[in-house]
Amino acid sequence: MLREPRRLIASVVAIAAGVAFVAATLILSASLEATLNRSFVGQASGSAVIVQPRAGAAQSNGDGEGGTSIISAEVAAAIDKAPGVTGSRRVVAAILPEQRGGGRQLWSGRLTPTLTQTTTLVEGRLPAAAGEVAVTEFAAKNRKTTVGATIALAHPTEEGRTVQAKVVGIVQPGPEITDQADLPILFASYADLTAWRGYEGYDSVYVSAADPVAARDAIRALPQVRDAAQPVDVETTADHLAKTRKEMAEIVRYVTGFLLAFGIVALVVSALVIANTFSILVAQRTRQLALLRCVGATKGQVFRTVTGEALLMGLVGGVVGLLGGAGLVAGLYAISQATDFKLTDFVVTPAAVLVPVAMALVVTLLASVLPARRATRVMPLAALRPNLAPVTGTRAGRLVLTLGALFVAVGGACLWYGATKPGLTGDGSVTYLLVGIAGGLLSFAGVLMLGTVIIPALTRVVGVVPARLGGVPGRLAAENSRRNPSRAAATCSALLIGVTLITTVAVGAQSGLATQTATYDRLFPFDLAVQPQAGTVPDALVAETKKNPSVVATARGSQTTLTVAGAERTVVAYGADMRQVVRNRALVDHLADDTILLPTDAKVADGSQVTVTGPKGTVTLRAVIRPKVVAAAVTPATLDRVTDERTESLWLRLKDGAKASEVVEQLSQSLSAWTVNVTGGAIAREGLDQVVLVVVGVVAGLLAVSVLIALVGITNTLGLSVLERTQESGLLRALGLTAGRLRWMFALEAVMLAAVAVVLGLGLGLLYGVAGTYALLRGTVAVVLEVPWTILGIIAAVAVVAGLVASVVPAVRAGRIKPAAALAVGE
């Protein structure tokens, strides 16, 4: 077998694809966890103990007014001298207002950083003298701040006076500085930062020590700490970070589990491919195996020969897959450096090396057992003239079919329970979710077991078109696709699993996105809101806002508190121009001067008369109840009838695809003359878009791996079919069927089986995707189901084309069969 390695390429590719996914999942998981750990550690990197002001505590800032919680210089000095402390790093975080025209723009002040692998100097140098500062690359870009520029910071105590800070460098901060690279950060010395913010002290102290617990206890025992006027909390870095990491670690485990599950599925599909490959190889080596038996080889020796070759193939495929998986993550690591979410670590753990290779060996060994046993049954004399009868069976046993039907029934019931349980009871337990997942896996296993019944039935329907329009090759292909149910099921299995899984992910992701988007539309009906400090929106501010190219629509909105149906409630006023701004049209539909929109929690009947009372009087309005409305809404004219007291905001609609964090910074800069606060749901949407990009990438990866394995699986199974049907193909050639039409027959058969896999896979994927969406989201938000028809169309097209491409090699091989030789003994 090893003398003809070309026969093993298909199996090596299949096993390498599955192993690559497993290896990539484990490496990516370790790298992601290390990256998240680094972001959580942040400024605490390398420290043993963290000292922070106690939450809720404050002290006088020197002028008799309450100040900000800080760690005094006296306490910080005492910490440095505590037993077991080998060093400390003190942190200052200041909010520094910059005076711009008639308004202010805020900076986040930090101490001058130490340059590391992740915190780098982009331009200029670090501050070295009084009055010198460096800024982040984000601030330099969005605030048009260059090296040599001067920033006028507002004096902390004297109104109207400013202090000048000269920009000497631009820094790209790493996670040890901040986990938000899109912040306008200003770096300066301790003396400058404390002078500019108006009081001294530190916001936290990170302590280095050989024994964290001993150092923590020693610091807690210090009189300066124990009796400090400003109380502080002292805990080991490990204890502090354990609280923060717990939730994210759970998320990482869920992501890892999901991807790893697909990798295991890919290996299972690879096992089917390997089993088919070895079936072909055993059939092709019948004469050789018979000769070995004739010269004295035992059944055990033949068995060990086949399984030994499988193990060697598994080892090669495992190593190739391991290198491929590592290469994929390395490429992802490089790509991430140009995105907002950078992987700061590339980690290859021993498990990421050993587990994929071990899985490859186990899978190939198990997949080769049945073909190896079949090889031992070759009789020495009878095999010298092989009868190439079909190797695969024609129908599944009654036990398999019965178990398959039982699995589908039980799995379907568990799937229904998982999808409906949260909505039925509002139970916060996750048991229903585990039951639903188990039900999905069980039902899918049942479908595979029933494949010898389901797939022929579907091929009968799908084969109608080629049978009528494809001539003799089409009729033969339709008949052949049903003649051997086991072979048809084996051909469809690899593609069916891939299509089902991809469809499930795509439907679940799209529905989750639609649900989350609808929730954001309800909670944040506008993209951004500009709130001037003065409480009113002047025309000049509106005109300046419209100059931003990312702003496509603006509208003034008013907000106040009124008595609605006897209870105080926040009421907003929407004008006609609000229709161009809001993403939730329910906020403005049916809104008129004689109506008031109310949420369902108002406990008012739809269409009933409601009184609204304000300082100027009372009006009676007709209630329009909308479940997606958050606050009560009226028209500006109605609001004018009951009050003149209101707070105005300017609501904005951004261009699709605009980066909200950059737009917020741009507006803060261009509108600084009015001292505005820019907020809104667009920033949350931006984070959701990042998640969508990740999901799209995962779906693309799943599609690529599934198509690759399916190509190999269909090619191998059709290759076995060609071998089993050598005499049949020769007879067709002898009866006048040309080589081209014979190739066309095999191609049509492959396309029909691929189409069956697509139809069944899309149906199952839609079912599992909908059930998964309800299981995860129902009971917490209103579920919005959305089917990504474009993606499903691409999946279907790629799968059918994959079937056609996979048929090329077997079809060419079939076309080369000589009629006379085939009628004799086969190839």
Side-chain angles (χ1 to χ4, degrees):
M1 188 181 296
L2 297 178
R3 294 177 181 176
E4 299 185 57
R6 64 182 180 82
R7 295 179 176 179
L8 303 177
I9 291 177
S11 291
V12 170
V13 170
I15 197 67
V19 168
F21 208 97
V22 173
T25 297
L26 294 176
I27 296 173
L28 179 61
S29 174
S31 301
L32 180 60
E33 186 172 359
T35 298
L36 292 174
N37 284 342
R38 185 186 291 270
S39 68
F40 288 141
V41 171
Q43 297 182 34
S45 177
S47 68
V49 177
I50 299 178
V51 183
Q52 294 178 314
R54 182 164 300 165
Q59 72 169 29
S60 173
N61 60 14
D63 57 8
E65 298 179 2
T68 305
S69 300
I70 56 100
I71 298 173
S72 67
E74 179 187 10
V75 172
I79 290 173
D80 288 343
K81 298 176 182 179
V85 173
T86 58
S88 69
R89 182 158 44 87
R90 305 170 185 181
V91 175
V92 174
I95 302 300
L96 306 174
E98 176 188 4
Q99 196 71 35
R100 281 180 173 257
R104 292 184 174 185
Q105 194 167 9
L106 299 180
W107 288 84
S108 178
R110 299 284 197 280
L111 289 174
T112 301
T114 299
L115 298 180
T116 64
Q117 183 180 0
T118 53
T119 298
T120 57
L121 187 64
V122 177
E123 184 181 347
R125 60 177 175 82
L126 294 178
E132 292 183 344
V133 299
V135 299
T136 58
E137 189 174 20
F138 174 84
K141 174 184 176 183
N142 289 281
R143 295 196 173 181
K144 307 295 189 295
T145 305
T146 60
V147 173
T150 300
I151 298 175
L153 298 175
H155 194 279
T157 59
E158 300 180 21
E159 187 67 31
R161 182 184 167 190
T162 60
V163 292
Q164 303 299 309
K166 183 179 180 181
V167 178
V168 297
I170 299 174
V171 174
Q172 177 60 36
E176 68 274 12
I177 303 299
T178 177
D179 59 355
Q180 293 179 292
D182 54 353
L183 279 179
I185 299 177
L186 177 151
F187 300 101
S189 66
Y190 172 78
D192 282 340
L193 286 180
T194 54
W196 294 338
R197 76 177 180 182
Y199 59 92
E200 295 189 356
Y202 302 94
D203 295 274
S204 55
V205 176
Y206 298 98
V207 179
S208 301
D211 187 341
V213 176
R216 178 198 63 190
D217 295 341
I219 294 172
R220 286 177 177 175
L222 292 172
Q224 294 88 341
V225 172
R226 188 178 60 246
D227 303 327
Q230 176 73 36
V232 298
D233 288 324
V234 184
E235 57 185 337
T236 64
T237 303
D239 290 342
H240 176 77
L241 296 178
K243 305 172 188 175
T244 312
R245 288 174 175 160
K246 184 177 180 180
E247 182 178 351
M248 189 55 67
E250 289 293 328
I251 295 176
V252 172
R253 280 196 288 271
Y254 285 140
V255 173
T256 302
F258 169 76
L259 295 177
L260 196 58
F262 178 78
I264 293 173
V265 171
L267 284 175
V268 171
V269 178
S270 300
L272 298 175
V273 174
I274 295 167
N276 285 333
T277 298
F278 272 80
S279 295
I280 296 173
L281 295 176
V282 168
Q284 290 177 332
R285 296 172 63 202
T286 300
R287 293 172 185 260
Q288 178 186 349
L289 294 174
L291 182 59
L292 289 175
R293 294 296 310 281
C294 285
V295 297
T298 65
K299 290 185 177 181
Q301 289 174 324
V302 172
F303 184 86
R304 288 191 295 272
T305 297
V306 176
T307 55
E309 291 170 347
L311 287 175
L312 182 58
M313 183 186 68
L315 180 61
V316 173
V319 172
V320 172
L322 176 62
L323 295 176
L328 287 174
V329 180
L332 182 62
Y333 173 84
I335 294 173
S336 73
Q337 303 309 303
T339 66
D340 290 338
F341 182 74
K342 298 179 177 64
L343 288 173
T344 58
D345 295 83
F346 178 75
V347 180
V348 181
T349 62
V353 175
L354 298 177
V355 171
V357 175
M359 292 178 69
L361 293 174
V362 171
V363 167
T364 51
L365 178 62
L366 294 177
S368 66
V369 168
L370 287 179
R373 289 185 60 191
R374 191 177 298 120
T376 63
R377 296 172 183 169
V378 176
M379 302 303 295
L381 295 179
L384 292 176
R385 184 179 180 84
N387 179 17
L388 298 177
V391 180
T392 54
T394 57
R395 60 175 60 87
R398 292 182 178 179
L399 178 61
V400 173
L401 295 178
T402 302
L403 286 176
L406 182 62
F407 285 0
V408 169
V410 174
C414 293
L415 196 66
W416 177 87
Y417 173 83
T420 58
K421 177 69 172 178
L424 291 175
T425 67
D427 190 352
S429 171
V430 297
T431 303
Y432 70 90
L433 186 59
L434 299 178
V435 172
I437 293 173
L441 294 175
L442 190 64
S443 63
F444 188 70
V447 170
L448 292 179
M449 295 172 72
L450 294 174
T452 54
V453 175
I454 297 174
I455 290 175
L458 289 176
T459 54
R460 188 177 300 277
V461 176
V462 173
V464 171
V465 175
R468 291 185 177 181
L469 304 180
V472 173
R475 291 194 295 275
L476 290 173
E479 179 61 30
N480 288 333
S481 65
R482 300 191 298 269
R483 191 173 62 181
N484 193 321
S486 294
R487 187 174 60 209
T491 305
C492 287
S493 59
L495 197 56
L496 172 61
I497 293 174
V499 171
T500 301
L501 185 59
I502 298 169
T503 303
T504 300
V505 174
V507 172
Q510 188 69 26
S511 296
L513 173 63
T515 299
Q516 198 66 29
T517 299
T519 302
Y520 282 149
D521 288 346
R522 183 172 61 87
L523 297 177
F524 310 106
F526 47 86
D527 288 336
L528 294 176
V530 178
Q531 178 67 59
Q533 192 175 26
T536 59
V537 179
D539 293 340
L541 186 149
V542 177
E544 186 64 32
T545 302
K546 290 181 176 180
K547 293 180 181 178
N548 191 297
S550 297
V551 177
V552 296
T554 65
R556 283 184 173 90
S558 301
Q559 178 175 309
T560 189
T561 300
L562 300 173
T563 301
V564 179
E568 285 196 352
R569 179 178 290 274
T570 299
V571 179
V572 293
Y574 303 124
D577 53 354
M578 194 63 70
R579 292 179 177 273
Q580 307 302 318
V581 174
V582 296
R583 293 184 177 272
N584 180 13
R585 295 299 295 272
L587 290 174
V588 291
D589 288 341
H590 306 289
L591 187 61
D593 291 342
D594 61 345
T595 63
I596 179 172
L597 298 185
L598 291 171
T600 52
D601 63 4
K603 298 181 180 180
V604 174
D606 188 27
S608 62
Q609 298 298 306
V610 174
T611 59
V612 178
T613 303
K616 292 175 62 176
T618 299
V619 295
T620 301
L621 305 173
R622 180 173 59 86
V624 178
I625 307 300
R626 290 292 179 267
K628 295 183 179 181
V629 172
V630 177
V634 297
T635 63
T638 300
L639 191 65
D640 289 339
R641 294 165 60 188
V642 294
T643 183
D644 291 327
E645 301 173 2
R646 68 195 69 184
T647 300
E648 280 191 346
S649 300
L650 184 65
W651 289 7
L652 314 180
R653 177 75 173 260
L654 301 184
K655 183 189 303 182
D656 291 340
K659 191 169 183 179
S661 57
E662 292 187 357
V663 176
V664 168
E665 182 60 32
Q666 292 164 6
L667 291 174
S668 297
Q669 178 180 348
S670 62
L671 304 178
S672 60
W674 290 277
T675 310
V676 298
N677 184 28
V678 184
T679 59
I683 299 176
R685 292 177 189 274
E686 189 175 296
L688 183 63
D689 290 341
Q690 295 292 325
V691 174
V692 172
L693 289 177
V694 172
V695 171
V696 170
V698 169
V699 171
L702 296 180
L703 181 60
V705 175
S706 297
V707 167
L708 179 60
I709 296 177
L711 279 172
V712 177
I714 294 174
T715 301
N716 273 10
T717 309
L718 286 179
L720 179 60
S721 176
V722 170
L723 181 66
E724 293 174 343
R725 291 153 58 185
T726 299
Q727 292 182 336
E728 173 192 332
S729 299
L731 179 61
L732 291 174
R733 292 294 313 281
L735 292 175
L737 192 68
T738 64
R741 303 189 78 183
L742 184 63
R743 289 193 291 268
W744 181 236
M745 180 189 75
F746 278 96
L748 285 176
E749 183 178 347
V751 169
M752 279 192 291
L753 292 174
V756 168
V758 167
V759 171
L760 188 56
L762 290 179
L764 291 173
L766 282 168
L767 173 64
Y768 294 145
V770 171
T773 301
Y774 271 97
L776 289 171
L777 300 178
R778 188 176 183 180
T780 57
V781 294
V783 176
V784 177
L785 293 179
E786 188 169 302
V787 179
W789 295 112
T790 301
I791 294 178
L792 298 190
I794 294 173
I795 293 172
V798 170
V800 173
V801 171
L804 181 61
V805 172
S807 71
V808 172
V809 173
V812 169
R813 187 180 299 125
R816 292 174 180 171
I817 295 176
K818 301 299 182 183
L823 291 175
V825 292
E827 283 187 317

